[in-house]
Amino acid sequence: MYRSTTVQDLSSSTTTTAMTNQMRLAIMTGAGGVGKTTLAVNLGYEVARLGYKVAIFDLDPQGSINVACRLKKTPAPKATTAWIYSGFFDGTYTLTPVWEQYVKTLDVFQGGSALFKIMSNLAQPGGCNLLKEALTEYPLPHDLVIFDCPATLEQIPKSALVAASHLLVPLMPDAKAVDGTRVLLDWYAASIQELQLISPPFFLGFVINNMEDGAEHQRLSKELPPRYQARGYHVFPPIKHYTAFVNAWSEGVPLRVHRSTHAALKPIEAITGAIIQVVKGEKRGKAKSNRR
């Protein structure tokens, strides 16, 4: 069971903080299967449990968040993030509170297959600005808005690039994901030039994710952080692959609810701490407009 609310409802509710420091965090990857959505929902939960208002926008046509949070898998197109890109957006964000028995300030704007139908709109001139324009014209009261992007480098992630204030890049330590991250950084540099972004989003950092005990994962987990740190990027502590993440998905709950003392919570808390710093206006990060 779930219920939804709109931005009109939210405007009359009590918010935890002013929105002057609203952080818009795009979680992007250059390869699939790195645990992006798992990271997005657990970070959203961790920030919300500290009392901040969080909205997660599912920009992925796969709609994986629907499964993670036990939401209706086929919402009406107007009740999804596709509505923002439709050309008829009127400020109605259909936000669904999730995990309400544990937190009161976490909402999800569902994605899913409706996003396939608006790709032609995104390809039009100015299409990549639609997400930013929506959030500017119809601002949300949330402290943190997370964009859970698809594992592609096409028009939807480009719209998130325009709208985001920060980027977080999960990286699985295998050859495919490492090359995908190289492509992502190339795409980032090319896109900010193409879109003529005067203030491109800052990199909050990279996180080695889904790290397993195999020799290749262990080797790359040691070799990769110094490479990125040498370029000035922040690299968060690695997050290992645990069956507990799968079990939490199966139960439709965040990891902390599944196991309140799980070892993976500590590296997630490190990222949460960096997000809180930004929300509080204590830290900005660095843009990488001309470096790969």
Side-chain angles (χ1 to χ4, degrees):
M1 294 293 292
Y2 73 99
R3 62 181 176 82
S4 299
T5 187
T6 67
V7 69
Q8 286 82 3
D9 302 319
L10 289 166
S11 64
S12 61
S13 65
T14 301
T15 58
T16 53
T17 63
M19 59 166 293
T20 50
N21 292 323
Q22 183 184 74
M23 180 185 190
R24 298 174 184 170
L25 178 67
I27 300 181
M28 293 185 171
T29 70
V34 304
K36 170 181 56 63
T37 298
T38 299
L39 184 61
V41 296
N42 278 288
L43 284 175
Y45 179 81
E46 291 297 313
V47 175
R49 67 183 286 271
L50 295 176
Y52 295 90
K53 287 187 69 68
V54 180
I56 304 176
F57 280 30
D58 187 357
L59 301 183
D60 193 338
Q62 299 296 328
S64 299
I65 286 179
N66 299 337
V67 180
C69 299
R70 293 282 173 87
L71 299 174
K72 184 178 181 180
K73 294 182 180 178
T74 55
K78 195 173 178 178
T80 72
T81 52
W83 177 232
I84 288 177
Y85 301 107
S86 67
F88 301 99
F89 185 65
D90 59 0
T92 304
Y93 301 93
T94 303
L95 300 175
T96 302
V98 296
W99 296 328
E100 285 184 281
Q101 62 272 50
Y102 311 112
V103 293
K104 302 299 182 186
T105 55
L106 177 60
D107 300 312
V108 167
F109 196 6
Q110 291 181 255
S113 59
L115 286 161
F116 285 123
K117 299 179 180 178
I118 49 78
M119 294 299 181
S120 59
N121 294 354
L122 275 163
Q124 299 296 318
C128 290
N129 295 321
L130 290 172
L131 179 59
K132 181 178 181 179
E133 289 173 356
L135 288 167
T136 301
E137 188 171 357
Y138 305 104
L140 286 168
H142 296 72
D143 303 292
L144 170 66
V145 179
I146 296 175
F147 303 135
D148 184 26
C149 298
T152 60
L153 298 176
E154 298 176 347
Q155 297 302 315
I156 290 179
K158 197 173 286 185
S159 75
L161 191 69
V162 174
S165 62
H166 292 78
L167 304 180
L168 176 66
V169 182
L171 167 61
M172 196 158 73
D174 65 23
K176 177 184 175 184
V178 170
D179 189 61
T181 301
R182 177 190 62 76
V183 174
L184 170 66
L185 293 176
D186 286 345
W187 172 85
Y188 171 85
S191 294
I192 62 173
Q193 290 187 18
E194 173 198 340
L195 298 166
Q196 299 183 331
L197 295 183
I198 297 174
S199 300
F202 293 83
F203 278 87
L204 185 70
F206 290 73
V207 55
I208 305 295
N209 203 32
N210 269 349
M211 181 180 71
E212 297 183 348
D213 292 332
E216 184 70 358
H217 272 217
Q218 292 297 312
R219 181 182 68 80
L220 286 173
S221 295
K222 294 177 181 176
E223 291 181 0
L224 289 174
R227 293 187 200 173
Y228 291 106
Q229 289 163 346
R231 298 176 182 179
Y233 298 112
H234 182 74
V235 182
F236 292 98
I239 301 174
K240 292 182 65 175
H241 171 78
Y242 288 104
T243 304
F245 282 115
V246 179
N247 292 338
W249 267 71
S250 298
E251 296 173 11
V253 298
L255 179 64
R256 186 178 291 277
V257 172
H258 174 69
R259 282 182 57 182
S260 61
T261 59
H262 196 279
L265 290 170
K266 183 159 288 187
I268 293 175
E269 287 170 356
I271 304 173
T272 301
I275 291 172
I276 298 301
Q277 279 189 295
V278 174
V279 170
K280 288 183 174 179
E282 297 173 359
K283 185 177 181 180
R284 185 81 170 126
K286 294 182 178 180
K288 296 290 177 182
S289 59
N290 297 310
R291 298 178 64 182
R292 298 194 313 180

